[in-house]
Amino acid sequence: MRELEQQRAEQIFQSCREEMIQTICRLVSIDSTRGEANPDAPYGFGPAQALETLLEQARKLGFRVKNYQGYVGAVDFGPEEPGLDILNHLDVVPGGEGWTITQPFQPLVLDGRIYGRGAADNKGPAVTVLYALYALASAGVRPRKRVRLLWGCAEETGAEDILHYYAQEPYAPMTLSPDAAFPVISSEKGRIECHFSCPLSEGFLKVLQGGATANAVPSSAWARLRDWNLENLRQAQGAIEEMTGTTFTFQQEGEDVVICAHGKGAHAASPAKGCNALTALLRLLVAVGQSLPQPIKALAHIFPPNGPLPGISWREGMTATLSMLSLEAGRLQGVCDLRFSPGSSLEEIKTELFGILEANGFQVDPQTRASDAHSVPEDSDFVKKLLRCYEAENGPSPGCRAIAGNTYAHGIPGAVAFGFAHPDIRTNTHGPDEYVSLEQLEFGGRVYLRTIQALCG
């Protein structure tokens, strides 16, 4: 009987393909980067609009829905007793520069892919799981316990949205997050999002700006300098471009020189896939060396364009990204993103990182966030069931994987990330020309059809 329900559900799911694509595109067209808080929109208009758009679609499909004060939306299938929570997010990182296929919030379906910011991370999977749930309901599946889809609005900026939700509701016995890759992500690196600052008078450095979000490699950065020698900058340009993989443009504006650094965006969990425009700009300023303020020299030393941070005991698998920097109202403010593998001590790394910043005159801000590594036993019954569901669609799997990124599963007892990306396919997450493959969405949908039924059907 279960196999017949599975086949019927797959047929219904496939019949919804075009509607699913349209829904994804509608969501991708909404710029849901974090904005100014408003009543019922704690993360701004964009995330709130994306959440209500998808909740309304779930209502049309016949599900019970609830909006938790704009922090999280919930879609329920089955009885009231909690069984399985499935966590996606609808917020995105800023669009950024360097797009060539389309613009970030102008979704385009081309050659079997949906392009646009959030298509892969995480709107495409969120919509696909909704339609998988709809297919199961339409096929007559009646779960023993409740399946609840949760859609958050602040995963990219600290995930306090999901903390707000679980302060009101209990954890489900089982929790998945389709915000990574198949087969099963049983281990996630720890993360420190360190905010720091120091006073800096304007002097000849009038503007310094780079990065838009804490968990992405900045693709661009720029500075406005008073009375700098443009020819000296050009002489240093070639060596720094070759070293960092970035390019520079210069413009003389009266007595000022404007420098723009053009790099390549990437997720801060995988900084080697990008080219950090901010650290390249700092290195160029140091190379010219015209009486630089000490904090700028210090940052160029603390955060080199490539390689480990000087002054910190480097652990295997550790990465660090200077992701944001700005000079405003006489204060230099920055953010770095550091990731570390399970087995490393969060407190030891924090002590070393904060120590080197403070030794160079920076104050570590209270809003600094830190979370230890997350791992779930690979031999648990839950993980074994997930692997069997994946293998039923894909054949033998290599087993569990570890990732550098953090998902909503991080810190939730027993939770794992499960899908949607193929581990060997790069979707340009957090970078230009982000896309999701329609084939991979359909594959993920089939896996989740089988998984939901196996766990709760």
Side-chain angles (χ1 to χ4, degrees):
M1 181 64 181
R2 175 174 289 184
E3 197 60 36
L4 290 174
E5 289 177 339
Q6 176 78 17
Q7 293 173 6
R8 174 63 178 151
E10 287 188 8
Q11 292 170 357
I12 296 170
F13 177 74
Q14 189 61 35
S15 73
C16 295
R17 183 178 188 272
E18 291 306 314
E19 183 177 319
M20 187 175 77
I21 293 171
Q22 291 172 12
T23 303
I24 294 171
C25 289
R26 191 159 70 248
L27 274 185
V28 171
S29 70
I30 299 171
D31 180 352
S32 54
T33 54
R34 186 168 183 159
E36 184 177 349
N38 289 289
D40 297 322
Y43 307 113
F45 174 74
Q49 183 186 11
L51 178 59
E52 192 50 48
T53 297
L54 199 51
L55 285 175
E56 180 58 31
Q57 187 64 19
R59 288 188 193 98
K60 292 178 180 178
L61 294 175
F63 291 107
R64 308 189 307 273
V65 306
K66 182 176 180 180
N67 189 329
Y68 286 81
Q69 301 87 41
Y71 288 83
V72 171
V75 175
D76 287 348
F77 173 47
E80 291 298 324
E81 184 181 358
L84 173 65
D85 284 353
I86 302 176
L87 282 56
N88 289 92
H89 67 91
L90 303 181
D91 62 311
V92 296
V93 299
E97 298 180 346
W99 290 70
T100 60
I101 305 297
T102 186
Q103 292 304 302
F105 303 106
Q106 296 176 10
L108 177 66
V109 182
L110 179 67
D111 296 333
R113 298 174 173 180
I114 303 175
Y115 287 89
R117 174 62 78 228
D121 184 22
N122 189 229
K123 294 175 179 179
V127 172
T128 303
V129 174
L130 171 63
Y131 277 89
L133 207 63
Y134 171 73
L136 287 169
S138 301
V141 173
R142 296 295 177 260
R144 300 184 306 273
K145 295 183 179 181
R146 185 189 70 203
V147 181
R148 171 168 282 184
L149 309 186
L150 293 170
W151 298 325
C153 294
E155 192 271 350
E156 299 289 8
T157 55
E160 70 267 27
D161 54 343
I162 211 69
L163 297 178
H164 176 90
Y165 168 81
Y166 281 120
Q168 303 177 57
E169 301 284 0
Y171 293 125
M174 300 172 287
T175 303
L176 299 175
S177 179
D179 188 21
F182 287 119
V184 175
I185 306 300
S186 62
S187 175
E188 300 182 6
K189 285 185 178 181
R191 177 175 181 250
I192 301 173
E193 180 187 308
C194 181
H195 295 244
F196 57 90
S197 63
C198 73
L200 184 65
S201 57
E202 183 179 284
F204 67 85
L205 183 59
K206 300 173 71 173
V207 177
L208 179 61
Q209 186 77 42
T213 187
N215 60 351
V217 174
S219 60
S220 63
W222 70 286
R224 180 181 289 273
L225 311 171
R226 180 186 291 115
D227 297 329
W228 264 50
N229 188 312
L230 185 55
E231 188 56 36
N232 288 347
L233 287 168
R234 288 186 172 134
Q235 289 177 2
Q237 175 181 1
I240 304 302
E241 288 183 340
E242 183 176 356
M243 175 198 303
T244 64
T246 59
T247 59
F248 298 98
T249 56
F250 309 109
Q251 187 171 344
Q252 187 81 50
E253 296 184 0
E255 296 181 349
D256 296 345
V257 172
V258 175
I259 309 172
C260 293
H262 310 279
K264 182 180 180 182
H267 199 298
S270 306
K273 294 180 180 179
C275 297
N276 194 318
L278 187 50
T279 54
L281 176 58
L282 293 177
R283 184 50 59 98
L284 177 66
L285 296 177
V286 169
V288 176
Q290 278 186 230
S291 303
L292 279 172
Q294 183 56 35
I296 302 300
K297 293 180 181 178
L299 286 179
H301 173 71
I302 295 170
F303 298 102
N306 303 298
L309 306 190
I312 292 184
S313 302
W314 212 247
R315 286 86 169 168
E316 184 178 358
M318 184 183 288
T319 62
T321 301
L322 180 61
S323 51
M324 299 173 67
L325 195 64
S326 65
L327 175 60
E328 298 177 7
R331 196 159 189 85
L332 186 65
Q333 301 182 79
V335 181
C336 71
D337 180 303
L338 189 147
R339 314 271 172 140
F340 58 93
S341 299
S344 298
S345 168
L346 169 62
E347 293 305 316
E348 287 181 4
I349 297 171
K350 280 174 61 179
T351 298
E352 291 182 8
L353 176 62
F354 295 1
I356 191 172
L357 288 167
E358 290 167 354
N360 283 278
F362 294 98
Q363 176 186 353
V364 176
D365 296 341
Q367 61 182 313
T368 287
R369 302 186 181 99
S371 60
D372 216 332
H374 174 83
S375 61
V376 173
E378 297 183 14
D379 60 354
S380 70
D381 288 341
F382 180 47
V383 169
K384 288 178 179 177
K385 285 182 179 179
L386 296 178
L387 287 173
R388 285 197 294 269
C389 290
Y390 173 80
E391 290 169 353
E393 295 293 335
N394 193 68
S397 78
C400 295
R401 298 179 60 243
I403 59 170
N406 289 175
T407 71
Y408 276 144
H410 204 100
I412 296 177
V416 296
F418 186 54
F420 260 26
H422 187 287
D424 298 325
I425 296 176
R426 185 179 177 189
T427 58
N428 299 332
T429 298
H430 289 204
D433 295 329
E434 178 184 345
Y435 73 88
V436 67
S437 160
L438 293 174
E439 180 181 0
Q440 192 63 19
L441 287 180
E442 291 165 6
F443 171 77
R446 293 196 304 273
V447 172
Y448 265 79
L449 284 171
R450 189 176 294 276
T451 299
I452 293 167
Q453 188 164 353
L455 296 177
C456 298

